[in-house]
Amino acid sequence: MASQNIESVLHEERTFRPSADFVARARIGTARFDELRRHAAEDHSGFWARLAREELSWHTPFTVSLDESDAPNYRWFTDGRLNVSYNCLDVHLAKRGEKTAIVFEGESGEVRRLSYRELHAEVCRFANALKAQGVGHGDRVAIYMPLVPEIVIAMHACNRIGAIHSVVFGGFSAPALRDRIEDTGAKVLITADGGWRAGQVIELKAAADKALAGACSSIERVIVLKRTGRPVAMQPARDLWWEDAVAGCSRECAPVWVEAEHPLFLLYTSGSTGKPKGIQHSSGGYLLGAKVTTQWVFDLHEDDVYWCTADVGWVTGHSYVAYGPLALGATVVLYEGSPTFPDGGRFWKLCQDHRVSVFYTAPTAIRALMKLGDEVPGGYDLSRLRLLGSVGEPINPEAWVWYHRVIGGGRCPIVDTWWQTETGAILISPLPGVVATKPGSCTLPLPGIEADIVDERGESVTDPHTGGYLVVKKPWPAMLRTLWGDNDRYRVNYWGKFDDRYYVAGDSAHRDEDGYFWIMGRIDDVLNVSGHRLGTMEIESALVSHPRVAEAAVVGKPHDIKGESVFAYVVCRGNRPGGDASALMSELRDWVGEQLGAIAKPDHIRFADNLPKTRSGKIMRRLLRSIARGEDITQDVSTLENPAILDQLRGVEAPAGA
Ligand code: WT7
């Protein structure tokens, strides 16, 4: 029967409860969790206002919790004033001034530690340097740097003086940097002579020069950090070395108290779905979201060593490297380079050497490292790990279970955290001391988050395993405020679908009998096969659970009879199949048929050495869709990490079985 709802065919039965040891020490236990949820249900804005008073230090206390007068442009804590760097640094000086804030390891292995006192001094010094360059309240500053402590220093220096930072991931190319600078109208660009990645120098300054050539007329000054020491061209009228900019600057800088709604930063979303959008985040609401979710989800204790592997160029590196953990006074590991340099054990060596206890990474990294075999992590002491996290895409149960068994030694809870650049902070995730986990499910919404799944008419979908639109029914403090320079697009894109009533995430999801959320992927990644709507992620998960498969991406291809047929790109463990390709193909089709039902069997399978990915590791499905349809590629491929793969993917496809 043709169905309007998205059908879920992936059923995962395993459940993992937190150990008694973990529960005994957890920051949030069942009683506190219930109390938070009850308060949020009774008084939504009052709940968040209470947390904002308890958790943040305000220069001017707020009296307005939530201003809905311009909905869906919601505003939180509007008449309060605060400073974000003050809340992440100054508040710790008395109690933990000598505690390590950042442990940095460069790709070549050098280690640098900054205490909270040192980080505070560096931030103040650089804030004074920015002021000397004429940067002030409301000015935009673009940051295009490697993952070194100075990127965090630059961000906090900006917010200390009320400037708005816009970090552009160092892996982006010159055209991507130029587009973003032009959209923000940034006055200053902060970059470096280069950075290290997989033993190579990433030529950031050269890319910055290319981006600025004949464009970006708003840029008055380029501040350049020396990282590699390789010679770069400097334009004396425009460019200034970081060390010269801070020379003679004071290590004290009074914070500028900004309104809670003052923009803290702009961050452009990855190009996997068209023209990048400048997501605008606030100061007060954003910081509150980043701080409390770090506390709730990562259960940080004073002695934890916390490592989130995300680059600061992505939202994860904003909320869960630069802001949330520092607001909590945590010790944060920062690693500049590649996960597989000089070999596939680098992440595990870092965990061992820095005694990492809380580790947060992405499924794409987990799958890549899983592919290398259990012996690699087996060579390191990972016994300090006590909690693991995952973010960025649905984690397929096979990878989840491997992560749990091999990295976590079977003892660490896994928090699968669902959120978006737009949401600012984690919205759906287990609390590790409270919620039993199921591989592949991000479990339950956090307290204060009214997430739901609705059908085309906006009605709640309550039947288990029936998919729909993932929405949030009430505003939350860390949500995006608008799209920079395009509020109409903000309103239409995120609120238009259900007449401004709900925030529409653009993901499809379903719930199980326990009310657990299962993300099925982006709405536009949903296939319609013979009237059955199938999430691509479920088919991918089934493929990846086959022992020969390392990675898979599934797209729809128009089909005369079925509407859409299932087209799968498969990366094998070890070598790409040669002579046995067609045998393996029919084996994989049967395998998926067994796991999910015949309807989900791939009609086409194409083997490849790799998948096309954005530099944040997201599979570029729209590209794969064009290739599957035999269309010319007209999309922007400037954000593609590995352009050479396109030719292979376009190659002749061996016929799949009947
Ligand atoms: C999209 C947001 C949030 C930081 C990194 C990505 C997907 C994210 C999960 C998860 C399933 C997930 C969603 C979401 N996603 N986390 N735990 N399970 N899907 O930020 O680039 O803004 O992407 O990533 O599709 O909408 P982003």
Side-chain angles (χ1 to χ4, degrees), residues 275-357:
K275 179 185 179 275
K277 301 178 273 209
I279 307 297
Q280 180 180 320
H281 278 290
S282 69
S283 297
Y286 171 81
L287 185 63
L288 178 65
K291 182 176 179 183
V292 299
T293 55
T294 306
Q295 180 67 285
W296 291 346
V297 174
F298 298 111
D299 187 49
L300 290 184
H301 289 65
E302 199 61 53
D303 59 353
D304 272 314
V305 177
Y306 164 90
W307 183 22
C308 163
T309 68
D311 194 285
V312 171
W314 308 112
V315 75
T316 309
H318 282 57
S319 303
Y320 299 108
V321 178
Y323 289 114
L326 293 182
L328 281 169
T331 295
V332 176
V333 174
L334 207 64
Y335 167 58
E336 173 186 30
S338 154
T340 50
F341 187 86
D343 57 52
R346 188 61 183 272
F347 267 16
W348 317 128
K349 184 172 189 318
L350 277 145
C351 286
Q352 167 186 285
D353 293 354
H354 299 294
R355 304 166 73 78
V356 172
S357 55

Side-chain angles (χ1 to χ4, degrees), residues 24-233:
R25 263 195 100 212
R27 287 257 180 186
I28 308 279
T30 306
R32 169 89 170 136
F33 183 58
D34 290 344
E35 186 272 320
L36 289 168
R37 294 225 291 188
R38 197 172 333 109
H39 188 192
E42 280 163 11
D43 178 9
H44 182 76
S45 59
F47 163 79
W48 285 111
R50 179 187 95 188
L51 288 175
R53 291 193 182 96
E54 287 170 2
E55 298 293 339
L56 301 183
S57 177
W58 295 89
H59 181 259
T60 311
F62 61 88
T63 63
V64 179
S65 304
L66 171 62
D67 175 358
E68 303 184 88
S69 58
D70 217 3
N73 288 107
Y74 294 98
R75 288 185 277 264
W76 288 88
F77 321 130
T78 43
D79 54 348
R81 285 178 173 267
L82 81 174
N83 179 274
V84 172
S85 81
Y86 182 89
N87 271 277
C88 294
L89 301 170
D90 304 52
V91 296
H92 303 308
L93 294 180
K95 227 178 89 189
R96 38 176 100 84
E98 312 326 313
K99 179 176 176 177
T100 300
I102 294 179
V103 190
F104 167 72
E105 185 165 318
E107 197 181 66
S108 66
E110 90 268 24
V111 174
R112 236 170 97 196
R113 282 169 219 279
L114 285 118
S115 67
Y116 272 92
R117 194 171 310 288
E118 288 163 333
L119 183 60
H120 176 266
E122 291 303 321
V123 166
C124 287
R125 212 151 71 107
F126 195 63
N128 285 322
L130 288 175
K131 281 205 279 190
Q133 297 306 320
V135 177
H137 184 271
D139 287 337
R140 275 81 62 209
V141 174
I143 299 178
Y144 182 61
M145 295 179 80
L147 190 46
V148 294
E150 282 78 5
I151 190 170
V152 178
I153 292 168
M155 292 159 81
H156 280 283
C158 286
N159 78 58
R160 195 158 188 92
I161 60 174
I164 304 165
H165 62 69
S166 178
V167 180
V168 179
F169 173 52
F172 277 133
S173 57
L177 175 62
R178 180 179 50 221
D179 292 348
R180 286 159 175 76
I181 292 176
E182 297 225 306
D183 200 63
T184 58
K187 193 167 179 177
V188 167
L189 168 64
I190 306 168
T191 185
D193 54 358
W196 293 100
R197 182 92 191 167
Q200 307 285 318
V201 170
I202 308 287
E203 304 278 1
L204 294 169
K205 177 63 165 64
D209 286 339
K210 218 166 129 192
L212 299 188
C216 306
S217 56
S218 59
I219 295 284
E220 295 169 10
R221 182 72 68 217
V222 179
I223 301 178
V224 188
L225 178 76
K226 263 187 200 143
R227 169 67 188 137
T228 65
R230 303 281 175 95
V232 294

